[in-house]
Amino acid sequence: VSGASAFVVVTILSTLHADRNVYPSAGVLFVHVLEREHFKGEFPPYPKPGDSSNDPITFNTNLMGYPDRPGWLRYIQRTSHSDGVLYGSPTAEHVGKATIIEIIAYNRRTFETARHNLVINIMSTEEYPLPYQAEFYIKNMNVEEMLASEVLGDFLGAVKNVWQPERLNAVNITSALDRGGRVPLPINNLKEGVYVMVGADVQFSSCLREVENSQNQLRCSQEMEPVISCDKKFRAQFDIDWCKINLVDITKMIMIHSNRPDPGTGVLPDIGGYNPPPESLKSRDFFADFLITLAVPSAVAMVLFSVLGYSMCCRREGVDKRNMQTPDIQLVHHSSIQKSTKELRSMSKNREISWPLSTLPVFSQSEEVVPPIHPDNYETTSMPLMQTQT
């Protein structure tokens, strides 16, 4: 429970199958530690003495009669060999309502369980809510580390030195992963980060408002670290991202109340049986719809098709008209070119092909020529042309 100027975490240890009552205050951070050492005595020990400390124990917490916890209460346990922590900040709407949390411890070695009940009685306080609240983002902490009473007490002490309030309370703590942050890489001992909301009864100090000046706002927009005069009071233990600090003045906030309708029981009223429409329905004429959707586009398509067909088929000039418009000398030149081309092609098919020296006839001493083994005529399409050899 939070005090007037310091934060003290009260560790509550339950007894076997007994209910434990706690009394947190609305608007003040509530922390309950589930210590593994306390639950180990409820499970059979190892055959060898002194080995029971290695039992892996996990916890399941839920609101009695429901599968999950209340919305304001969160739970974290990093590994099965670390303690579990219940934490959260109840609001005024939970005041006077007893909240029973079922705590079931699972021994992963023996598969046995132990069940405890935690009764949370939320009390009202005159200080709720504190009018001035500041939320800090601490980059070098995990949420379970920040929930430790010593660490959180050191942080609140540093905040009190730079703020100088009469009353200072921790309002809430949230992991950066719950705000959309990424899981850090397992290198260089990186932390996931944690948001810490604190409340006070006096105006924000000049140090906290330094982040609002134009120079620091410009540095934050350029992803540069702003210059804060009181950062040295935190830097030794807490690495604060001053660009993400959020200062809230509740006294200047406009409360908007919306009138919500009564949700009711969720059962539709009895309005009688099903009343189908009568059979004597007026018929509907779809002829106009047919004309708009089919007839009109078809008529336009036929007109376009007719125009295109007339242009392509009925407006052709033809070869005769082309020859009539062409000069005679041009026709003669064209005819002579065609005739010469045909004559050259005919001559190239009938000419004799000379073979290379390696295929020429062998001359004997009697100067008689041995007939070649190849025929005299070949098609130019099956043999390449070569220079005539004599």
Side-chain angles (χ1 to χ4, degrees), residues 14 22 38 54 87 97-98 109 116 119 126 169 205 223 243 246 289 294 311 318-319 325 340-342 360 366:
S14 304
V22 293
H38 173 72
N54 295 326
Y87 65 101
K97 300 177 182 179
R109 177 180 64 89
H116 291 178
V119 182
E126 297 179 355
N169 291 333
S205 63
E223 298 184 356
C243 290
N246 186 20
D289 298 336
L294 294 178
S311 301
V319 178
Q325 295 179 353
S340 301
T341 302
K342 291 180 180 180
L360 288 177
S366 61

Side-chain angles (χ1 to χ4, degrees), residues 41-86:
E42 304 180 12
F43 300 112
Y46 268 125
K48 295 181 180 181
D51 293 339
S52 60
S53 60
N54 295 326
D55 276 355
I57 299 176
T58 57
F59 301 95
N60 182 38
T61 60
N62 62 278
L63 183 64
M64 179 174 288
Y66 294 89
D68 204 354
R69 298 172 299 277
W72 63 270
L73 188 63
R74 294 186 291 272
Y75 168 75
I76 185 172
Q77 184 183 15
R78 188 67 63 174
T79 65
S80 59
H81 294 280
S82 60
D83 295 334
V85 181
L86 284 168

Side-chain angles (χ1 to χ4, degrees), residues 14-182:
S14 304
T15 58
L16 179 62
H17 302 292
D19 295 346
R20 183 69 178 181
N21 288 271
V22 293
Y23 301 91
S25 299
V28 179
L29 181 66
F30 164 73
V31 180
H32 177 75
V33 180
L34 305 178
E35 293 189 356
R36 296 172 60 254
E37 293 294 336
H38 173 72
F39 288 89
K40 288 177 182 178
E42 304 180 12
F43 300 112
Y46 268 125
K48 295 181 180 181
D51 293 339
S52 60
S53 60
N54 295 326
D55 276 355
I57 299 176
T58 57
F59 301 95
N60 182 38
T61 60
N62 62 278
L63 183 64
M64 179 174 288
Y66 294 89
D68 204 354
R69 298 172 299 277
W72 63 270
L73 188 63
R74 294 186 291 272
Y75 168 75
I76 185 172
Q77 184 183 15
R78 188 67 63 174
T79 65
S80 59
H81 294 280
S82 60
D83 295 334
V85 181
L86 284 168
Y87 65 101
S89 181
T91 60
E93 63 182 6
H94 303 106
V95 173
K97 300 177 182 179
T99 303
I100 302 177
I101 303 298
E102 294 180 330
I103 302 173
I104 301 176
Y106 293 90
N107 190 318
R108 298 299 179 179
R109 177 180 64 89
T110 62
F111 301 101
E112 295 184 355
T113 62
R115 179 179 175 275
H116 291 178
N117 288 338
L118 178 67
V119 182
I120 303 176
N121 302 281
I122 302 173
M123 307 297 293
S124 61
T125 176
E126 297 179 355
E127 301 176 358
Y128 175 82
L130 291 173
Y132 306 100
Q133 297 180 358
E135 186 179 54
F136 299 84
Y137 175 56
I138 305 174
K139 298 185 290 185
N140 63 332
M141 287 286 175
N142 290 334
V143 63
E144 70 274 10
E145 297 174 344
M146 199 66 198
L147 288 171
S149 59
E150 298 83 3
V151 179
L152 187 56
D154 294 341
F155 177 75
L156 291 177
V159 173
K160 186 176 181 180
N161 290 334
V162 300
W163 200 341
Q164 298 297 329
E166 294 183 4
R167 296 191 304 271
L168 180 68
N169 291 333
V171 177
N172 201 3
I173 290 181
T174 308
S175 172
L177 301 182
D178 297 334
R179 298 284 189 89
R182 295 183 177 181

Side-chain angles (χ1 to χ4, degrees), residues 1 31 43 78 82 112-113 135 140 162 164 181 183 192 211 252 260 275 288 309 315-316 319 363 365 375 385-386:
V1 182
V31 180
F43 300 112
R78 188 67 63 174
S82 60
E112 295 184 355
T113 62
E135 186 179 54
N140 63 332
V162 300
Q164 298 297 329
V183 178
E192 62 190 31
V211 72
K252 296 181 180 180
R260 297 182 180 179
N275 187 16
R315 299 286 296 176
R316 297 185 62 183
V319 178
F363 292 91
Q365 294 181 358
L385 296 179
M386 295 184 181

Side-chain angles (χ1 to χ4, degrees), residues 130-131 133 247-256:
L130 291 173
Q133 297 180 358
L247 305 178
V248 178
D249 187 354
I250 299 180
T251 60
K252 296 181 180 180
M253 295 179 61
I254 301 176
M255 303 301 296
I256 301 176

